[in-house]
Amino acid sequence: MSHAEDIVPGGDRRWWYCLRHNTPEQGPGCPDKYRLGPYPDRETAAEALHTVAERNEAWDEQDRD
């Protein structure tokens, strides 16, 4: 069964995190230069900044080693 939030113009169901508005968005939205993603669902997109911080810390640690 489809959810209303899954219905977007053009059928693009991927999620993005908008850096301009600090919120997840689905389908066409802000220009890509302001977005992180794509992500498979809203929850993952909402955690985008946390994921970026974790990855940056891991890469910084690799550089120190």
Side-chain angles (χ1 to χ4, degrees):
M1 181 169 291
S2 177
H3 295 84
E5 66 185 22
D6 291 336
I7 301 170
V8 294
D12 186 355
R13 297 176 66 184
R14 297 175 298 172
W15 284 89
W16 307 82
Y17 185 81
C18 178
L19 297 168
R20 185 183 256 178
H21 299 107
N22 295 314
T23 187
E25 60 186 28
Q26 188 178 38
C30 287
D32 288 346
K33 67 182 180 179
Y34 299 115
R35 304 197 306 175
L36 300 174
Y39 297 97
D41 53 53
R42 181 182 181 85
E43 293 77 23
T44 307
E47 293 292 319
L49 293 181
H50 180 72
T51 302
V52 167
E54 285 181 336
R55 289 178 180 167
N56 284 342
E57 179 60 33
W59 291 330
D60 288 346
E61 190 172 316
Q62 286 177 353
D63 289 344
R64 287 189 290 269
D65 290 344

Coordinates of all heavy atoms in Angstrom, one line a residue:
M1 N 0.8 -1.2 0.0 CA 0.0 0.0 0.0 C 0.9 1.2 0.0 O 1.9 1.3 0.7 CB -0.9 0.0 1.2 CG -1.8 1.2 1.2 SD -3.1 1.1 2.5 CE -4.1 -0.2 1.8
S2 N 0.5 2.2 -0.8 CA 1.3 3.5 -0.9 C 0.9 4.5 0.2 O -0.3 4.6 0.5 CB 1.1 4.0 -2.3 OG 1.8 5.3 -2.4
H3 N 1.9 5.2 0.6 CA 1.6 6.3 1.6 C 1.6 7.6 0.8 O 2.2 7.8 -0.2 CB 2.7 6.4 2.6 CG 2.8 5.2 3.5 ND1 3.4 4.1 3.2 CD2 2.2 5.0 4.7 CE1 3.3 3.2 4.2 NE2 2.6 3.8 5.1
A4 N 0.8 8.6 1.3 CA 0.7 9.8 0.5 C 2.0 10.5 0.4 O 2.3 11.1 -0.6 CB -0.3 10.8 1.3
E5 N 2.9 10.4 1.4 CA 4.2 11.0 1.3 C 5.1 10.4 0.3 O 6.1 10.9 -0.1 CB 4.9 11.0 2.7 CG 5.2 9.7 3.2 CD 5.8 9.7 4.6 OE1 5.5 10.6 5.3 OE2 6.5 8.7 4.9
D6 N 4.8 9.2 -0.2 CA 5.6 8.5 -1.2 C 5.2 8.9 -2.6 O 5.9 8.5 -3.5 CB 5.4 7.0 -1.1 CG 6.0 6.4 0.2 OD1 7.0 7.1 0.7 OD2 5.6 5.3 0.6
I7 N 4.1 9.6 -2.8 CA 3.7 10.1 -4.1 C 4.3 11.4 -4.4 O 3.9 12.4 -3.7 CB 2.2 10.1 -4.2 CG1 1.6 8.7 -3.9 CG2 1.7 10.6 -5.6 CD1 0.1 8.7 -3.7
V8 N 5.2 11.5 -5.3 CA 5.9 12.8 -5.6 C 5.9 12.9 -7.1 O 5.8 12.0 -7.9 CB 7.3 12.8 -5.1 CG1 7.3 12.8 -3.6 CG2 8.1 11.7 -5.6
P9 N 5.9 14.2 -7.6 CA 6.0 14.4 -9.1 C 7.1 13.7 -9.7 O 8.2 13.6 -9.2 CB 6.2 15.9 -9.2 CG 5.7 16.5 -7.9 CD 6.0 15.4 -6.9
G10 N 6.9 13.0 -10.8 CA 7.9 12.3 -11.6 C 8.2 11.0 -11.0 O 9.1 10.2 -11.6
G11 N 7.6 10.6 -9.9 CA 7.8 9.2 -9.3 C 9.1 9.1 -8.6 O 9.5 7.9 -8.2
D12 N 9.9 10.1 -8.4 CA 11.1 10.0 -7.6 C 10.8 9.8 -6.1 O 10.3 10.7 -5.5 CB 12.0 11.2 -7.8 CG 13.4 11.1 -7.2 OD1 13.7 10.1 -6.5 OD2 14.2 12.0 -7.4
R13 N 11.1 8.7 -5.6 CA 10.8 8.4 -4.2 C 12.0 8.4 -3.3 O 11.9 8.1 -2.1 CB 10.2 7.0 -4.1 CG 8.9 6.9 -4.9 CD 8.3 5.6 -4.9 NE 7.9 5.2 -3.6 CZ 7.4 4.0 -3.2 NH1 7.3 3.1 -4.1 NH2 7.1 3.8 -2.0
R14 N 13.2 8.9 -3.8 CA 14.4 9.0 -3.0 C 14.2 10.2 -2.0 O 13.6 11.2 -2.3 CB 15.6 9.1 -3.9 CG 15.8 7.9 -4.8 CD 17.0 8.2 -5.7 NE 16.6 9.3 -6.6 CZ 17.5 9.8 -7.4 NH1 18.7 9.4 -7.5 NH2 17.2 10.8 -8.2
W15 N 15.0 10.1 -0.9 CA 15.0 11.2 0.1 C 16.3 11.8 0.1 O 17.3 11.2 -0.2 CB 14.7 10.6 1.5 CG 13.2 10.2 1.6 CD1 12.6 9.1 1.4 CD2 12.2 11.1 2.1 NE1 11.3 9.2 1.6 CE2 11.0 10.4 2.1 CE3 12.2 12.4 2.6 CZ2 9.8 11.0 2.6 CZ3 11.0 13.0 3.0 CH2 9.9 12.2 3.0
W16 N 16.3 13.1 0.4 CA 17.5 13.9 0.5 C 17.4 14.7 1.8 O 16.4 14.9 2.3 CB 17.5 14.9 -0.7 CG 17.4 14.3 -2.0 CD1 16.2 13.9 -2.6 CD2 18.4 13.9 -2.9 NE1 16.5 13.3 -3.8 CE2 17.8 13.3 -4.0 CE3 19.8 14.0 -2.8 CZ2 18.6 12.8 -5.1 CZ3 20.5 13.5 -3.9 CH2 19.9 12.9 -5.0
Y17 N 18.6 15.2 2.2 CA 18.6 16.2 3.3 C 19.0 17.5 2.8 O 20.0 17.7 2.2 CB 19.7 15.7 4.4 CG 19.6 16.6 5.6 CD1 18.6 16.4 6.6 CD2 20.4 17.7 5.8 CE1 18.5 17.3 7.7 CE2 20.3 18.6 6.9 CZ 19.4 18.3 7.8 OH 19.3 19.2 8.9
C18 N 18.1 18.5 3.0 CA 18.3 19.8 2.5 C 19.1 20.7 3.5 O 18.7 20.9 4.6 CB 17.0 20.5 2.2 SG 17.2 22.2 1.6
L19 N 20.3 21.1 3.1 CA 21.2 21.9 3.9 C 20.6 23.3 4.0 O 20.9 24.0 5.0 CB 22.6 21.9 3.4 CG 23.3 20.6 3.4 CD1 24.5 20.6 2.5 CD2 23.5 20.1 4.8
R20 N 19.9 23.8 3.1 CA 19.3 25.1 3.1 C 18.2 25.2 4.1 O 18.1 26.2 4.8 CB 18.8 25.5 1.7 CG 18.3 26.9 1.6 CD 17.8 27.1 0.2 NE 18.7 27.8 -0.6 CZ 18.6 28.1 -1.9 NH1 17.5 27.7 -2.5 NH2 19.5 28.8 -2.5
H21 N 17.4 24.2 4.2 CA 16.2 24.2 5.1 C 16.3 23.3 6.3 O 15.4 23.3 7.2 CB 14.9 23.8 4.3 CG 14.6 24.7 3.2 ND1 14.8 24.4 1.9 CD2 14.2 26.0 3.2 CE1 14.5 25.4 1.1 NE2 14.1 26.4 1.9
N22 N 17.5 22.6 6.4 CA 17.7 21.7 7.5 C 16.6 20.7 7.8 O 16.1 20.5 8.9 CB 18.0 22.4 8.8 CG 19.3 23.2 8.7 OD1 20.3 22.7 8.2 ND2 19.3 24.5 9.0
T23 N 16.2 20.0 6.7 CA 15.0 19.1 6.8 C 15.1 18.1 5.6 O 15.7 18.3 4.6 CB 13.7 19.8 6.7 OG1 12.6 18.9 6.9 CG2 13.5 20.5 5.4
P24 N 14.6 16.9 5.9 CA 14.5 15.9 4.8 C 13.5 16.3 3.8 O 12.5 17.0 4.1 CB 14.0 14.6 5.5 CG 14.2 14.8 6.9 CD 14.2 16.3 7.2
E25 N 13.8 16.0 2.5 CA 12.8 16.3 1.4 C 12.9 15.1 0.4 O 13.9 14.5 0.3 CB 13.1 17.6 0.8 CG 14.4 17.8 0.1 CD 14.7 19.2 -0.4 OE1 14.1 20.2 0.1 OE2 15.4 19.3 -1.4
Q26 N 11.8 14.9 -0.2 CA 11.6 13.8 -1.1 C 11.4 14.3 -2.6 O 10.7 15.3 -2.8 CB 10.5 12.9 -0.7 CG 10.4 11.6 -1.5 CD 9.2 10.8 -1.1 OE1 8.2 11.2 -0.7 NE2 9.5 9.5 -1.0
G27 N 12.1 13.6 -3.5 CA 11.9 14.0 -4.9 C 12.5 15.3 -5.2 O 13.4 15.8 -4.6
P28 N 12.0 16.0 -6.3 CA 12.5 17.3 -6.7 C 12.3 18.2 -5.5 O 11.4 18.3 -4.8 CB 11.6 17.7 -7.8 CG 10.9 16.4 -8.3 CD 10.8 15.5 -7.1
G29 N 13.4 19.0 -5.3 CA 13.3 20.0 -4.3 C 14.4 21.1 -4.5 O 14.5 21.5 -5.6
C30 N 15.1 21.4 -3.5 CA 16.2 22.4 -3.7 C 17.3 21.8 -4.6 O 17.4 20.6 -4.8 CB 16.8 22.7 -2.3 SG 15.7 23.7 -1.3
P31 N 18.1 22.7 -5.2 CA 19.1 22.3 -6.1 C 20.1 21.3 -5.4 O 20.3 21.4 -4.1 CB 19.9 23.6 -6.4 CG 18.9 24.7 -6.2 CD 18.0 24.2 -5.1
D32 N 20.6 20.4 -6.1 CA 21.5 19.4 -5.5 C 22.7 19.9 -4.7 O 23.1 19.3 -3.8 CB 22.0 18.4 -6.6 CG 21.0 17.5 -7.2 OD1 19.9 17.4 -6.6 OD2 21.2 16.9 -8.3
K33 N 23.1 21.1 -5.1 CA 24.3 21.7 -4.3 C 23.9 22.0 -2.9 O 24.8 22.2 -2.1 CB 24.8 22.9 -5.0 CG 23.9 24.1 -5.0 CD 24.5 25.3 -5.8 CE 23.6 26.5 -5.8 NZ 24.3 27.6 -6.5
Y34 N 22.6 22.0 -2.5 CA 22.2 22.2 -1.2 C 21.7 20.9 -0.5 O 21.1 21.0 0.6 CB 21.1 23.2 -1.1 CG 21.5 24.6 -1.7 CD1 20.9 25.1 -2.8 CD2 22.4 25.3 -1.0 CE1 21.2 26.3 -3.3 CE2 22.8 26.6 -1.5 CZ 22.2 27.1 -2.6 OH 22.6 28.3 -3.1
R35 N 21.9 19.8 -1.1 CA 21.3 18.5 -0.6 C 22.4 17.4 -0.4 O 23.4 17.4 -1.1 CB 20.3 18.0 -1.6 CG 19.2 19.0 -1.8 CD 17.9 18.5 -2.4 NE 18.0 17.7 -3.6 CZ 17.0 17.1 -4.1 NH1 15.8 17.2 -3.6 NH2 17.1 16.4 -5.2
L36 N 22.1 16.6 0.6 CA 22.9 15.4 0.8 C 22.0 14.2 0.4 O 20.8 14.2 0.7 CB 23.3 15.3 2.3 CG 24.2 16.4 2.8 CD1 24.4 16.2 4.4 CD2 25.5 16.4 2.2
G37 N 22.6 13.2 -0.1 CA 21.8 12.0 -0.5 C 22.1 11.5 -1.9 O 23.1 12.0 -2.5
P38 N 21.3 10.7 -2.3 CA 20.0 10.3 -1.9 C 20.0 9.2 -0.8 O 21.0 8.5 -0.6 CB 19.3 9.7 -3.1 CG 20.4 9.1 -3.9 CD 21.6 10.0 -3.6
Y39 N 18.9 9.1 0.0 CA 18.7 8.2 1.0 C 17.5 7.3 0.7 O 16.6 7.8 0.1 CB 18.6 8.9 2.4 CG 19.9 9.6 2.7 CD1 20.0 11.0 2.5 CD2 20.9 9.0 3.3 CE1 21.1 11.7 2.8 CE2 22.1 9.7 3.6 CZ 22.2 11.0 3.4 OH 23.3 11.7 3.7
P40 N 17.4 6.1 1.3 CA 16.3 5.3 1.0 C 15.0 5.6 1.7 O 13.9 5.3 1.2 CB 16.7 3.9 1.4 CG 17.7 4.2 2.5 CD 18.4 5.4 2.1
D41 N 15.1 6.4 2.8 CA 13.8 6.7 3.5 C 14.0 8.0 4.3 O 15.2 8.5 4.4 CB 13.4 5.6 4.4 CG 14.5 5.2 5.4 OD1 15.1 6.0 6.0 OD2 14.9 4.0 5.4
R42 N 12.9 8.6 4.8 CA 13.0 9.8 5.5 C 13.8 9.8 6.8 O 14.6 10.7 7.1 CB 11.5 10.2 5.9 CG 11.4 11.5 6.6 CD 10.0 11.9 7.0 NE 9.9 13.1 7.7 CZ 9.8 14.3 7.1 NH1 9.8 14.4 5.8 NH2 9.8 15.4 7.8
E43 N 13.8 8.7 7.5 CA 14.5 8.5 8.7 C 16.0 8.6 8.5 O 16.7 9.3 9.2 CB 14.1 7.2 9.5 CG 12.7 7.2 10.0 CD 11.7 6.9 8.9 OE1 12.0 6.4 7.8 OE2 10.5 7.3 9.1
T44 N 16.5 7.9 7.5 CA 17.9 7.9 7.1 C 18.3 9.3 6.7 O 19.4 9.8 7.1 CB 18.2 6.9 6.0 OG1 17.7 5.6 6.4 CG2 19.7 6.8 5.8
A45 N 17.5 10.0 5.9 CA 17.8 11.4 5.5 C 17.9 12.3 6.7 O 18.7 13.2 6.7 CB 16.8 11.8 4.4
A46 N 17.0 12.1 7.6 CA 17.0 13.0 8.8 C 18.2 12.8 9.6 O 18.6 13.8 10.3 CB 15.8 12.7 9.7
E47 N 18.9 11.7 9.5 CA 20.2 11.5 10.3 C 21.4 11.8 9.4 O 22.5 11.5 9.8 CB 20.2 10.0 10.6 CG 19.2 9.6 11.7 CD 19.4 10.2 13.0 OE1 20.6 10.3 13.4 OE2 18.5 10.7 13.6
A48 N 21.2 12.5 8.3 CA 22.3 12.8 7.4 C 23.5 13.5 8.0 O 24.6 13.1 7.9 CB 21.8 13.6 6.2
L49 N 23.2 14.5 8.8 CA 24.3 15.3 9.4 C 25.1 14.5 10.4 O 26.3 14.6 10.6 CB 23.8 16.6 10.0 CG 23.2 17.6 9.0 CD1 22.8 18.9 9.8 CD2 24.3 18.0 8.0
H50 N 24.3 13.6 11.2 CA 25.0 12.7 12.1 C 25.9 11.7 11.4 O 27.0 11.5 11.8 CB 23.9 12.0 12.9 CG 24.5 11.1 13.9 ND1 25.1 11.5 15.1 CD2 24.5 9.7 14.0 CE1 25.5 10.4 15.8 NE2 25.2 9.3 15.1
T51 N 25.4 11.2 10.3 CA 26.2 10.3 9.5 C 27.4 10.9 8.9 O 28.5 10.3 9.0 CB 25.3 9.7 8.3 OG1 24.1 9.1 8.9 CG2 26.1 8.7 7.5
V52 N 27.3 12.1 8.4 CA 28.4 12.9 7.9 C 29.5 13.1 9.0 O 30.7 12.9 8.8 CB 28.0 14.2 7.3 CG1 29.2 15.1 7.1 CG2 27.2 14.0 6.0
A53 N 29.0 13.5 10.2 CA 30.0 13.7 11.3 C 30.7 12.4 11.7 O 31.9 12.5 11.9 CB 29.2 14.3 12.5
E54 N 30.0 11.3 11.7 CA 30.6 10.0 12.1 C 31.7 9.7 11.0 O 32.8 9.2 11.4 CB 29.6 8.9 12.2 CG 28.8 9.0 13.4 CD 27.7 7.8 13.5 OE1 27.4 7.3 12.4 OE2 27.3 7.5 14.6
R55 N 31.3 9.8 9.8 CA 32.3 9.5 8.7 C 33.5 10.4 8.7 O 34.6 9.9 8.5 CB 31.6 9.5 7.3 CG 30.6 8.4 7.1 CD 29.9 8.5 5.8 NE 28.9 7.4 5.7 CZ 28.0 7.4 4.7 NH1 27.9 8.4 3.9 NH2 27.2 6.4 4.7
N56 N 33.3 11.7 8.9 CA 34.4 12.6 9.0 C 35.4 12.2 10.2 O 36.6 12.3 10.0 CB 33.9 14.0 9.2 CG 33.4 14.6 7.9 OD1 33.7 14.1 6.8 ND2 32.7 15.7 8.0
E57 N 34.8 11.9 11.3 CA 35.6 11.5 12.4 C 36.4 10.2 12.1 O 37.6 10.1 12.4 CB 34.7 11.2 13.7 CG 35.5 10.8 14.9 CD 36.6 11.8 15.3 OE1 36.3 13.0 15.2 OE2 37.6 11.4 15.9
A58 N 35.8 9.2 11.5 CA 36.5 8.0 11.1 C 37.6 8.3 10.1 O 38.7 7.7 10.2 CB 35.5 7.0 10.5
W59 N 37.4 9.2 9.1 CA 38.4 9.5 8.2 C 39.5 10.3 8.9 O 40.7 10.1 8.6 CB 37.8 10.3 7.0 CG 36.9 9.5 6.1 CD1 37.0 8.2 5.9 CD2 35.8 10.0 5.4 NE1 36.0 7.8 5.0 CE2 35.3 8.9 4.7 CE3 35.3 11.3 5.2 CZ2 34.2 9.0 3.8 CZ3 34.2 11.4 4.4 CH2 33.6 10.3 3.7
D60 N 39.2 11.2 9.8 CA 40.2 11.9 10.5 C 41.1 10.9 11.3 O 42.3 11.1 11.4 CB 39.6 12.9 11.5 CG 39.0 14.1 10.7 OD1 39.4 14.3 9.5 OD2 38.3 14.9 11.3
E61 N 40.5 9.9 11.9 CA 41.2 8.9 12.7 C 42.1 8.1 11.8 O 43.3 7.9 12.2 CB 40.2 8.0 13.4 CG 40.9 7.1 14.4 CD 39.9 6.3 15.2 OE1 38.9 6.9 15.7 OE2 40.1 5.1 15.4
Q62 N 41.7 7.8 10.6 CA 42.5 7.1 9.6 C 43.7 7.9 9.3 O 44.8 7.4 9.1 CB 41.7 6.7 8.4 CG 40.7 5.6 8.6 CD 39.9 5.3 7.3 OE1 40.0 6.1 6.3 NE2 39.2 4.3 7.3
D63 N 43.5 9.2 9.1 CA 44.6 10.1 8.7 C 45.6 10.2 9.8 O 46.8 10.3 9.6 CB 44.1 11.5 8.4 CG 43.3 11.6 7.1 OD1 43.5 10.6 6.3 OD2 42.6 12.6 6.9
R64 N 45.2 10.1 11.1 CA 46.1 10.2 12.2 C 46.9 8.9 12.3 O 48.0 8.9 12.9 CB 45.3 10.4 13.5 CG 44.8 11.8 13.7 CD 44.2 12.1 15.1 NE 43.0 11.3 15.3 CZ 41.8 11.8 15.1 NH1 41.6 13.0 14.6 NH2 40.7 11.1 15.4
D65 N 46.4 7.8 11.9 CA 47.1 6.5 12.0 C 48.2 6.3 11.0 O 48.8 6.8 10.3 CB 46.1 5.3 11.8 CG 45.2 5.2 13.0 OD1 45.5 5.8 14.0 OD2 44.2 4.5 12.8

